[in-house]
Amino acid sequence: MLTNKKSLWLSGPYLVWIAGFIILPLLTIFYYAFTNLQGGFTFENIVGAVTDTANIKAFGLTLLLAAAATLIALILAYPLAICLAKLGLKKQKVFIFLFILPMWMNFMLQMVAINVILEDNGIINYLLSALGFEKIHIANTFGAILIGMVYDYFPFMLLPIYNTVSRIDGDLINASKDLGAGAIRTFFKITFPLSFPGVISGITMVFVPAISDFAIAEMLGGGKIMLVGNIVEMSFTKGHYYQGSGLALILMAFVVISSLVSGGDAEAEGGAILP
Amino acid sequence: MKNEKLIELVGVTKSFGTEQVLKNLDLYILDNEFITLLGPSGCGKTTTLRIIGGFVTPDTGKLIFDGKDITNLPPNKRQLNTVFQKYALFPHMNVFDNIAFGLRIKNTPESEIKKSVGEMLSMVGLSGYENRSVVSLSGGQQQRIAIARALVNKPRVLLLDEPLGALDFKMRQDMQYELKNIHKQAGITFIYVTHDQEEALTLSDTIAVMNQGIIQQIGTPEDIYNEPKNAFVADFIGDSNIIDGIMVKDCLVNIFGVNFPCVDTGFGNDKPVDVVIRPEDVILTSPEKSDMKGTVTSLIFKGVHYEMEVMARGYEWLVHSTKMEPVGSEVGIYVEPENIQIMHKPRSEDEEAASVDE
Ligand SMILES: Nc1ncnc2c1ncn2[C@@H]1O[C@H](COP(=O)(O)OP(=O)(O)O)[C@@H](O)[C@H]1O
Ligand SMILES: [Mg+2]
């Protein structure tokens, strides 16, 4: 057994890490969030964060966008996960690899590429006009950010669902059919309930980063659409540390709450990023 | 057991990749019969059962149920239920919901479901377990829930795939009696899969011994045990002395230079044959009474009998007897003519497993 002293030594680097990069920044945010310009204690930054109309609008937009991205990713990922789980083992590995490949590509590059596709003179519009349809304006809109989010977070939805679905014992499905259930009832009574933990972690793993996002919105929204993350970022770059911290704290509360709602499953199912 | 064919497999073959798992299988199953598919692991028992259950489609051949061809009928439309090898209880449902599953699919009124589930639970000795989570149950309890979940649907046939495989020895024995009782009570056909020959002998009306995707012999436990058709069956069903012999003429076989009277005929004269003698049929006498003289080389007390090995004319004879002879003693070997089984030799290696007597 390790003595207390030894284990302190071993965990030393982690403790320094936690203190320097997690506790300290958190405390700094807390400090600024509850401090006014004169250095006294105040609730003003917090109250301001949730009463300012621009902020309320940004919160609404952020939640709407995150929810929409999560829902679309779920709708796309679920049937795909089911199909993947039905393939042979070798094929499963190849396809999973293909679907998570974009995760390893540089983020900026991904965003630039999406822009090239969506631009007014981009690939989509080129195809549309070539086929004789009217051009659509999608770049730098809510829709563009949504597409970017779905694209970027898709693997985080797919993998946990795939992990749970592929682990369902085939004889449970056989047993359901044996007892008289057809394919549809077997899906709703067996497959879906058993895949539920994966769905919950997928939702968490997409929704949580989506509500705190600012980078995708900045890259694909053309700076016109302000999410909460963008306002926080702007506050800090403009030197408004106090208001920025207040807003950041509220955002953090949202993140914590949505993680808690989904329970501890998220980590368990999302843990294995690679098949 | 009625004398009507309920299920018939006709010329069924099945391959997985390049491996032919079932080779032109013919088998019929009578109404109310307790039939066991017995064979070593990998011989195709589960595949046969899955074809009957509808989870595997045969490459060729037909499955007839009650006179109708159901080869392509999906499992949910078949009048049979399965107890899966690892039970396959639904982990997200409690005991009650597991057993009620089939009835709910059929839209049975909830009051009736409650009654039926209660009856089933009392039949398998687990009354009061309704609200337990199935994952909290022991192997034996899960197994009984799996049986209840299948039987509550009043199927005409129950398929059981090594249902006692995961249980310890004592539990297996108890469950064997219970299964036999349930079979009697339910009055339906049981198709049972096992690789345990004792279990098969204890439970079955009929045993089909399988090896390498071929049925080697089918018959009552007594038939299979007393008159194995080939060396594989003899070897697989209990311990046996399987000896190279020469059929001198009808009713006389020569074993290592000693002539033994037997009852088999029609093998021709001076033909090599396999001779099968059960260890309990080997009678040890004083050495002067037999030309087959030998020395006891080992002695083990087995509870109801002694197990001895006797080296005689270069062959180690396995002997079961209630009388013991100490190691080193000289003995003679005698076998009653009707206890000597003569079998054709397989013509090739391949046929060792495959051949069925012509
Ligand atoms: N779904 C499958 N895919 C590939 N091979 C299989 C499949 N099912 C069974 N097999 C192979 O078929 C052979 C017979 O299997 P099985 O019927 O399960 O034997 P048993 O139940 O007698 O042990 C085995 O060699 C097994 O590996
Ligand atoms: Mg098997």
Side-chain angles (χ1 to χ4, degrees), chain B residues 41-42 44-47 85 161-162 193:
Chain B
S41 181
K45 306 179 298 289
T46 297
T47 305
Q85 200 156 3
D161 194 354
E162 312 229 11
V193 160

Side-chain angles (χ1 to χ4, degrees), chain A residues 169 171-183 185-186 189-190 193-194, chain B residues 50 55 75-76 80-82 84 88-93 101-102 104-105 149 153:
Chain A
D169 179 1
D171 268 348
L172 293 178
I173 308 300
N174 285 342
S176 167
K177 292 187 176 160
D178 186 76
L179 294 165
R185 276 204 276 198
T186 297
K189 285 182 172 249
I190 310 296
L194 289 178
Chain B
R50 283 174 183 261
F55 310 114
N76 49 321
L80 36 82
N81 287 113
T82 307
F84 289 87
L89 297 177
F90 304 128
H92 57 301
M93 299 181 192
F101 191 90
R104 288 196 174 132
I105 295 291
R149 182 179 71 175
N153 303 291

Side-chain angles (χ1 to χ4, degrees), chain B residues 267-320:
Chain B
F267 285 83
N269 293 348
D270 296 321
K271 286 277 151 57
V273 288
D274 276 330
V275 182
V276 174
I277 301 169
R278 294 281 176 199
E280 64 270 26
D281 293 333
V282 179
I283 297 167
L284 298 183
T285 64
S286 56
E288 56 275 10
K289 281 193 185 153
S290 168
D291 287 335
M292 186 63 82
K293 298 184 212 310
T295 314
V296 178
T297 57
S298 84
L299 169 71
I300 303 167
F301 179 58
K302 286 276 193 174
V304 278
H305 61 80
Y306 293 95
E307 183 174 292
M308 286 164 281
E309 279 172 345
V310 176
M311 180 55 87
R313 299 210 175 203
Y315 182 81
E316 192 117 273
W317 296 68
L318 188 67
V319 183
H320 290 173

